[in-house]
Amino acid sequence: MRLSPAQAIVGGFGGANGVGAVLLWLPISRSGGTFTDPVDAIFTATSALCVTGLTVVDTAVHWSPFGLAVILALIQMGGLGIMLLAALVGLLLARKLSLASRLNTMTEAKSTGGYSVKRVATGILFTSLTIEAVTAVALFFRFLLGYGYSPGEAAWNAVFHSISSFNNAGFALFSDNMIGFVADPWICLPMCAAIILGGLGFPVLVQLRRELKTPLHWTMNTRIVVTGTLVLLLMGTAYITAIEWNNPSTLGSADPATRVLAGFFHAVQVRTAGFNSIDIGQMHDETLLGMDVLMFIGGGPAGTAGGIKITTFAVLLFIVWTELRGGTAVNVFGKRLSRAVHREAISVALISIAAVMGGTIAILASTDFDLDAVLFEAVSAFATVGLSTGITPQLDEGAKLILVALMFLGRIGPLTLGSALALRDRRVAYELPKERPAIG
């Protein structure tokens, strides 16, 4: 039976998720040698495969070495799988279009229209493993020389956290996540670098590797992702650092250099990584709301980041700016956006908002937690971020399963929806009469 791309994506990830959940449920995966609660096993497998990082049990204590290996394999599978599937969708889209449209497809779809399947897969694998290896080496020497870990322990921690970082997963081998390293730039900055690179997306990484010094040759996709990433990182760092500067429960008790480092670290994490070096549950409400926005936007397409993606958000901004100026065409970096892209961006954004709001309302109906905390968890799950105010382990099974659905939808949904919209080519030979409703 021939499956559509959407069916293949959902079926493949659903099957991998089921296998991972069964493995984590078995006694061999738990440090105590007993069965894990089925819902907790499903939740953890989904969180790992969807590279989210939300947890309902203490990762460092609950899981055995085998269980941690399963989690690490799911993270790697989820990160590589998403990038590969996104790239292959770009190939499929490019081959479906006419030759005259392929250059636009390479820019607007995934920038992979000129590559073979084998070349795309090899490139993604090589890029991913190289970045993970470099990050692991940096972390290895810091754990070994700075904290007195044994070579084996330093290597295991370095490899685990490098893979978790590049794939924007947010799983850590410490009960307090990365709080113990809040003032250590030799741990925080290599992880941040891996997270940022993973969040840029494979097409952007390929072009930067080849044309880093010639930005005028960059595609629209690369320009939007790079510019958006820099702007959001700077704004996020300034916003989080400024609001939490005097909060004694987060940044207020640290020295100025540590406050700035922690502010930058968390501005990177809201790009869908999910590590935390301070207690998220002690942050001010306005900080959490700002982080909700940053998490929802996410990172670049065809990468390990989640959210609606920088490109989607940028297209919406350019549409609004064009309307405010009274323009007729949406122009971005000297190029005109097709109206199909307008509709795709609006559709992805509105469906994503509906998913987050629906999940938030459902969890609120079954729990006694405040809106701020529940909304934060829902956005974190849908955007596959993994940051938490601490309420996730306290949720009942129904609420946990809602978060599972949000994680799966947030990771698979935008890719599936985006590819379905892009590949949909329904032409009609007529147009209905125009009529304009009142707006505003």
Side-chain angles (χ1 to χ4, degrees), residues 395-422:
L395 297 175
D396 58 32
E397 292 188 349
K400 290 178 183 178
L401 291 176
I402 292 172
L403 291 181
V404 167
L406 285 175
M407 286 188 287
F408 197 83
L409 178 63
R411 175 50 74 180
I412 305 301
L415 173 61
T416 304
L417 177 62
S419 62
L421 291 173

PDB file of all heavy atoms in Angstrom, residues 395-422:
ATOM      1  N   LEU A 395       1.221  16.257  37.451  1.00  0.00           N
ATOM      2  CA  LEU A 395      -0.024  16.152  36.692  1.00  0.00           C
ATOM      3  C   LEU A 395      -0.582  14.736  36.756  1.00  0.00           C
ATOM      4  O   LEU A 395       0.155  13.760  36.923  1.00  0.00           O
ATOM      5  CB  LEU A 395       0.221  16.534  35.234  1.00  0.00           C
ATOM      6  CG  LEU A 395       0.677  17.977  34.956  1.00  0.00           C
ATOM      7  CD1 LEU A 395       0.988  18.147  33.474  1.00  0.00           C
ATOM      8  CD2 LEU A 395      -0.393  18.981  35.401  1.00  0.00           C
ATOM      9  N   ASP A 396      -1.911  14.625  36.618  1.00  0.00           N
ATOM     10  CA  ASP A 396      -2.507  13.294  36.572  1.00  0.00           C
ATOM     11  C   ASP A 396      -2.259  12.672  35.203  1.00  0.00           C
ATOM     12  O   ASP A 396      -1.732  13.305  34.293  1.00  0.00           O
ATOM     13  CB  ASP A 396      -4.001  13.363  36.892  1.00  0.00           C
ATOM     14  CG  ASP A 396      -4.769  14.276  35.943  1.00  0.00           C
ATOM     15  OD1 ASP A 396      -4.381  14.386  34.760  1.00  0.00           O
ATOM     16  OD2 ASP A 396      -5.758  14.897  36.385  1.00  0.00           O
ATOM     17  N   GLU A 397      -2.638  11.414  35.065  1.00  0.00           N
ATOM     18  CA  GLU A 397      -2.322  10.696  33.833  1.00  0.00           C
ATOM     19  C   GLU A 397      -2.985  11.323  32.610  1.00  0.00           C
ATOM     20  O   GLU A 397      -2.401  11.361  31.524  1.00  0.00           O
ATOM     21  CB  GLU A 397      -2.737   9.231  33.976  1.00  0.00           C
ATOM     22  CG  GLU A 397      -1.898   8.457  34.978  1.00  0.00           C
ATOM     23  CD  GLU A 397      -2.205   6.983  34.969  1.00  0.00           C
ATOM     24  OE1 GLU A 397      -3.212   6.590  34.337  1.00  0.00           O
ATOM     25  OE2 GLU A 397      -1.436   6.200  35.578  1.00  0.00           O
ATOM     26  N   GLY A 398      -4.209  11.813  32.781  1.00  0.00           N
ATOM     27  CA  GLY A 398      -4.899  12.444  31.659  1.00  0.00           C
ATOM     28  C   GLY A 398      -4.165  13.667  31.163  1.00  0.00           C
ATOM     29  O   GLY A 398      -3.990  13.860  29.948  1.00  0.00           O
ATOM     30  N   ALA A 399      -3.707  14.514  32.091  1.00  0.00           N
ATOM     31  CA  ALA A 399      -2.979  15.719  31.704  1.00  0.00           C
ATOM     32  C   ALA A 399      -1.637  15.367  31.064  1.00  0.00           C
ATOM     33  O   ALA A 399      -1.190  16.035  30.119  1.00  0.00           O
ATOM     34  CB  ALA A 399      -2.771  16.613  32.924  1.00  0.00           C
ATOM     35  N   LYS A 400      -0.977  14.328  31.588  1.00  0.00           N
ATOM     36  CA  LYS A 400       0.285  13.899  30.975  1.00  0.00           C
ATOM     37  C   LYS A 400       0.069  13.450  29.538  1.00  0.00           C
ATOM     38  O   LYS A 400       0.874  13.763  28.643  1.00  0.00           O
ATOM     39  CB  LYS A 400       0.902  12.756  31.796  1.00  0.00           C
ATOM     40  CG  LYS A 400       1.449  13.168  33.152  1.00  0.00           C
ATOM     41  CD  LYS A 400       1.995  11.959  33.903  1.00  0.00           C
ATOM     42  CE  LYS A 400       2.489  12.347  35.292  1.00  0.00           C
ATOM     43  NZ  LYS A 400       2.983  11.165  36.061  1.00  0.00           N
ATOM     44  N   LEU A 401      -1.004  12.729  29.293  1.00  0.00           N
ATOM     45  CA  LEU A 401      -1.281  12.262  27.935  1.00  0.00           C
ATOM     46  C   LEU A 401      -1.621  13.426  27.006  1.00  0.00           C
ATOM     47  O   LEU A 401      -1.342  13.376  25.800  1.00  0.00           O
ATOM     48  CB  LEU A 401      -2.420  11.246  27.947  1.00  0.00           C
ATOM     49  CG  LEU A 401      -2.076   9.901  28.606  1.00  0.00           C
ATOM     50  CD1 LEU A 401      -3.295   8.991  28.649  1.00  0.00           C
ATOM     51  CD2 LEU A 401      -0.927   9.213  27.856  1.00  0.00           C
ATOM     52  N   ILE A 402      -2.208  14.483  27.551  1.00  0.00           N
ATOM     53  CA  ILE A 402      -2.449  15.691  26.745  1.00  0.00           C
ATOM     54  C   ILE A 402      -1.125  16.295  26.311  1.00  0.00           C
ATOM     55  O   ILE A 402      -0.947  16.701  25.155  1.00  0.00           O
ATOM     56  CB  ILE A 402      -3.293  16.711  27.538  1.00  0.00           C
ATOM     57  CG1 ILE A 402      -4.711  16.174  27.749  1.00  0.00           C
ATOM     58  CG2 ILE A 402      -3.343  18.056  26.801  1.00  0.00           C
ATOM     59  CD1 ILE A 402      -5.550  17.029  28.670  1.00  0.00           C
ATOM     60  N   LEU A 403      -0.161  16.346  27.240  1.00  0.00           N
ATOM     61  CA  LEU A 403       1.161  16.851  26.887  1.00  0.00           C
ATOM     62  C   LEU A 403       1.854  15.943  25.875  1.00  0.00           C
ATOM     63  O   LEU A 403       2.581  16.415  24.989  1.00  0.00           O
ATOM     64  CB  LEU A 403       2.028  17.001  28.142  1.00  0.00           C
ATOM     65  CG  LEU A 403       1.631  18.097  29.129  1.00  0.00           C
ATOM     66  CD1 LEU A 403       2.604  18.133  30.306  1.00  0.00           C
ATOM     67  CD2 LEU A 403       1.588  19.461  28.448  1.00  0.00           C
ATOM     68  N   VAL A 404       1.639  14.630  25.998  1.00  0.00           N
ATOM     69  CA  VAL A 404       2.184  13.689  25.011  1.00  0.00           C
ATOM     70  C   VAL A 404       1.649  14.019  23.621  1.00  0.00           C
ATOM     71  O   VAL A 404       2.404  14.075  22.636  1.00  0.00           O
ATOM     72  CB  VAL A 404       1.838  12.235  25.386  1.00  0.00           C
ATOM     73  CG1 VAL A 404       2.107  11.292  24.228  1.00  0.00           C
ATOM     74  CG2 VAL A 404       2.638  11.797  26.612  1.00  0.00           C
ATOM     75  N   ALA A 405       0.339  14.243  23.541  1.00  0.00           N
ATOM     76  CA  ALA A 405      -0.274  14.588  22.256  1.00  0.00           C
ATOM     77  C   ALA A 405       0.280  15.900  21.714  1.00  0.00           C
ATOM     78  O   ALA A 405       0.542  16.026  20.508  1.00  0.00           O
ATOM     79  CB  ALA A 405      -1.792  14.670  22.406  1.00  0.00           C
ATOM     80  N   LEU A 406       0.487  16.878  22.589  1.00  0.00           N
ATOM     81  CA  LEU A 406       1.029  18.165  22.158  1.00  0.00           C
ATOM     82  C   LEU A 406       2.465  18.008  21.654  1.00  0.00           C
ATOM     83  O   LEU A 406       2.854  18.632  20.659  1.00  0.00           O
ATOM     84  CB  LEU A 406       0.984  19.174  23.302  1.00  0.00           C
ATOM     85  CG  LEU A 406      -0.386  19.767  23.634  1.00  0.00           C
ATOM     86  CD1 LEU A 406      -0.295  20.660  24.867  1.00  0.00           C
ATOM     87  CD2 LEU A 406      -0.928  20.570  22.451  1.00  0.00           C
ATOM     88  N   MET A 407       3.268  17.198  22.354  1.00  0.00           N
ATOM     89  CA  MET A 407       4.646  16.990  21.908  1.00  0.00           C
ATOM     90  C   MET A 407       4.679  16.333  20.529  1.00  0.00           C
ATOM     91  O   MET A 407       5.428  16.754  19.639  1.00  0.00           O
ATOM     92  CB  MET A 407       5.409  16.122  22.926  1.00  0.00           C
ATOM     93  CG  MET A 407       5.771  16.840  24.209  1.00  0.00           C
ATOM     94  SD  MET A 407       6.872  15.884  25.297  1.00  0.00           S
ATOM     95  CE  MET A 407       5.752  14.633  25.928  1.00  0.00           C
ATOM     96  N   PHE A 408       3.872  15.291  20.366  1.00  0.00           N
ATOM     97  CA  PHE A 408       3.851  14.585  19.085  1.00  0.00           C
ATOM     98  C   PHE A 408       3.332  15.486  17.977  1.00  0.00           C
ATOM     99  O   PHE A 408       3.903  15.547  16.882  1.00  0.00           O
ATOM    100  CB  PHE A 408       2.986  13.331  19.202  1.00  0.00           C
ATOM    101  CG  PHE A 408       3.215  12.348  18.100  1.00  0.00           C
ATOM    102  CD1 PHE A 408       4.262  11.440  18.162  1.00  0.00           C
ATOM    103  CD2 PHE A 408       2.380  12.308  16.997  1.00  0.00           C
ATOM    104  CE1 PHE A 408       4.485  10.519  17.143  1.00  0.00           C
ATOM    105  CE2 PHE A 408       2.584  11.400  15.967  1.00  0.00           C
ATOM    106  CZ  PHE A 408       3.644  10.497  16.041  1.00  0.00           C
ATOM    107  N   LEU A 409       2.253  16.207  18.269  1.00  0.00           N
ATOM    108  CA  LEU A 409       1.696  17.121  17.270  1.00  0.00           C
ATOM    109  C   LEU A 409       2.661  18.247  16.959  1.00  0.00           C
ATOM    110  O   LEU A 409       2.827  18.642  15.798  1.00  0.00           O
ATOM    111  CB  LEU A 409       0.370  17.689  17.787  1.00  0.00           C
ATOM    112  CG  LEU A 409      -0.332  18.715  16.885  1.00  0.00           C
ATOM    113  CD1 LEU A 409      -0.715  18.073  15.558  1.00  0.00           C
ATOM    114  CD2 LEU A 409      -1.574  19.266  17.580  1.00  0.00           C
ATOM    115  N   GLY A 410       3.314  18.774  17.991  1.00  0.00           N
ATOM    116  CA  GLY A 410       4.240  19.875  17.777  1.00  0.00           C
ATOM    117  C   GLY A 410       5.453  19.482  16.967  1.00  0.00           C
ATOM    118  O   GLY A 410       5.996  20.289  16.214  1.00  0.00           O
ATOM    119  N   ARG A 411       5.907  18.235  17.100  1.00  0.00           N
ATOM    120  CA  ARG A 411       7.064  17.783  16.343  1.00  0.00           C
ATOM    121  C   ARG A 411       6.681  17.318  14.949  1.00  0.00           C
ATOM    122  O   ARG A 411       7.321  17.647  13.964  1.00  0.00           O
ATOM    123  CB  ARG A 411       7.760  16.642  17.101  1.00  0.00           C
ATOM    124  CG  ARG A 411       8.916  16.003  16.369  1.00  0.00           C
ATOM    125  CD  ARG A 411       9.908  17.003  15.830  1.00  0.00           C
ATOM    126  NE  ARG A 411      10.729  17.597  16.856  1.00  0.00           N
ATOM    127  CZ  ARG A 411      11.659  18.495  16.627  1.00  0.00           C
ATOM    128  NH1 ARG A 411      11.865  18.925  15.397  1.00  0.00           N
ATOM    129  NH2 ARG A 411      12.368  19.022  17.614  1.00  0.00           N
ATOM    130  N   ILE A 412       5.610  16.566  14.830  1.00  0.00           N
ATOM    131  CA  ILE A 412       5.235  16.005  13.538  1.00  0.00           C
ATOM    132  C   ILE A 412       4.278  16.914  12.776  1.00  0.00           C
ATOM    133  O   ILE A 412       4.349  17.031  11.551  1.00  0.00           O
ATOM    134  CB  ILE A 412       4.576  14.619  13.716  1.00  0.00           C
ATOM    135  CG1 ILE A 412       5.505  13.697  14.509  1.00  0.00           C
ATOM    136  CG2 ILE A 412       4.252  13.998  12.365  1.00  0.00           C
ATOM    137  CD1 ILE A 412       6.843  13.483  13.867  1.00  0.00           C
ATOM    138  N   GLY A 413       3.376  17.580  13.516  1.00  0.00           N
ATOM    139  CA  GLY A 413       2.322  18.353  12.883  1.00  0.00           C
ATOM    140  C   GLY A 413       2.779  19.430  11.925  1.00  0.00           C
ATOM    141  O   GLY A 413       2.363  19.447  10.756  1.00  0.00           O
ATOM    142  N   PRO A 414       3.642  20.377  12.361  1.00  0.00           N
ATOM    143  CA  PRO A 414       4.062  21.437  11.444  1.00  0.00           C
ATOM    144  C   PRO A 414       4.743  20.922  10.188  1.00  0.00           C
ATOM    145  O   PRO A 414       4.511  21.420   9.088  1.00  0.00           O
ATOM    146  CB  PRO A 414       5.020  22.269  12.306  1.00  0.00           C
ATOM    147  CG  PRO A 414       4.561  22.043  13.702  1.00  0.00           C
ATOM    148  CD  PRO A 414       4.099  20.615  13.731  1.00  0.00           C
ATOM    149  N   LEU A 415       5.592  19.883  10.326  1.00  0.00           N
ATOM    150  CA  LEU A 415       6.253  19.312   9.158  1.00  0.00           C
ATOM    151  C   LEU A 415       5.238  18.672   8.220  1.00  0.00           C
ATOM    152  O   LEU A 415       5.261  18.902   7.006  1.00  0.00           O
ATOM    153  CB  LEU A 415       7.291  18.284   9.602  1.00  0.00           C
ATOM    154  CG  LEU A 415       7.965  17.476   8.482  1.00  0.00           C
ATOM    155  CD1 LEU A 415       8.714  18.403   7.543  1.00  0.00           C
ATOM    156  CD2 LEU A 415       8.892  16.429   9.063  1.00  0.00           C
ATOM    157  N   THR A 416       4.349  17.879   8.802  1.00  0.00           N
ATOM    158  CA  THR A 416       3.338  17.211   7.987  1.00  0.00           C
ATOM    159  C   THR A 416       2.414  18.220   7.328  1.00  0.00           C
ATOM    160  O   THR A 416       2.117  18.136   6.129  1.00  0.00           O
ATOM    161  CB  THR A 416       2.511  16.252   8.863  1.00  0.00           C
ATOM    162  OG1 THR A 416       3.383  15.338   9.517  1.00  0.00           O
ATOM    163  CG2 THR A 416       1.522  15.477   8.020  1.00  0.00           C
ATOM    164  N   LEU A 417       1.959  19.202   8.124  1.00  0.00           N
ATOM    165  CA  LEU A 417       1.054  20.215   7.587  1.00  0.00           C
ATOM    166  C   LEU A 417       1.749  21.054   6.528  1.00  0.00           C
ATOM    167  O   LEU A 417       1.189  21.320   5.461  1.00  0.00           O
ATOM    168  CB  LEU A 417       0.555  21.113   8.722  1.00  0.00           C
ATOM    169  CG  LEU A 417      -0.349  22.287   8.314  1.00  0.00           C
ATOM    170  CD1 LEU A 417      -1.624  21.766   7.664  1.00  0.00           C
ATOM    171  CD2 LEU A 417      -0.686  23.154   9.515  1.00  0.00           C
ATOM    172  N   GLY A 418       2.987  21.450   6.817  1.00  0.00           N
ATOM    173  CA  GLY A 418       3.708  22.278   5.855  1.00  0.00           C
ATOM    174  C   GLY A 418       3.931  21.559   4.541  1.00  0.00           C
ATOM    175  O   GLY A 418       3.759  22.136   3.459  1.00  0.00           O
ATOM    176  N   SER A 419       4.316  20.290   4.605  1.00  0.00           N
ATOM    177  CA  SER A 419       4.548  19.533   3.376  1.00  0.00           C
ATOM    178  C   SER A 419       3.247  19.303   2.627  1.00  0.00           C
ATOM    179  O   SER A 419       3.202  19.377   1.394  1.00  0.00           O
ATOM    180  CB  SER A 419       5.216  18.194   3.701  1.00  0.00           C
ATOM    181  OG  SER A 419       4.376  17.398   4.515  1.00  0.00           O
ATOM    182  N   ALA A 420       2.175  19.032   3.375  1.00  0.00           N
ATOM    183  CA  ALA A 420       0.882  18.804   2.726  1.00  0.00           C
ATOM    184  C   ALA A 420       0.408  20.055   1.995  1.00  0.00           C
ATOM    185  O   ALA A 420      -0.096  19.992   0.876  1.00  0.00           O
ATOM    186  CB  ALA A 420      -0.147  18.365   3.757  1.00  0.00           C
ATOM    187  N   LEU A 421       0.595  21.221   2.636  1.00  0.00           N
ATOM    188  CA  LEU A 421       0.180  22.469   2.002  1.00  0.00           C
ATOM    189  C   LEU A 421       1.047  22.784   0.784  1.00  0.00           C
ATOM    190  O   LEU A 421       0.560  23.246  -0.245  1.00  0.00           O
ATOM    191  CB  LEU A 421       0.250  23.629   3.004  1.00  0.00           C
ATOM    192  CG  LEU A 421      -0.772  23.595   4.145  1.00  0.00           C
ATOM    193  CD1 LEU A 421      -0.476  24.706   5.146  1.00  0.00           C
ATOM    194  CD2 LEU A 421      -2.189  23.747   3.601  1.00  0.00           C
ATOM    195  N   ALA A 422       2.351  22.522   0.929  1.00  0.00           N
ATOM    196  CA  ALA A 422       3.261  22.837  -0.171  1.00  0.00           C
ATOM    197  C   ALA A 422       3.056  21.906  -1.360  1.00  0.00           C
ATOM    198  O   ALA A 422       3.186  22.318  -2.514  1.00  0.00           O
ATOM    199  CB  ALA A 422       4.702  22.756   0.308  1.00  0.00           C
TER     200      ALA A 422
END
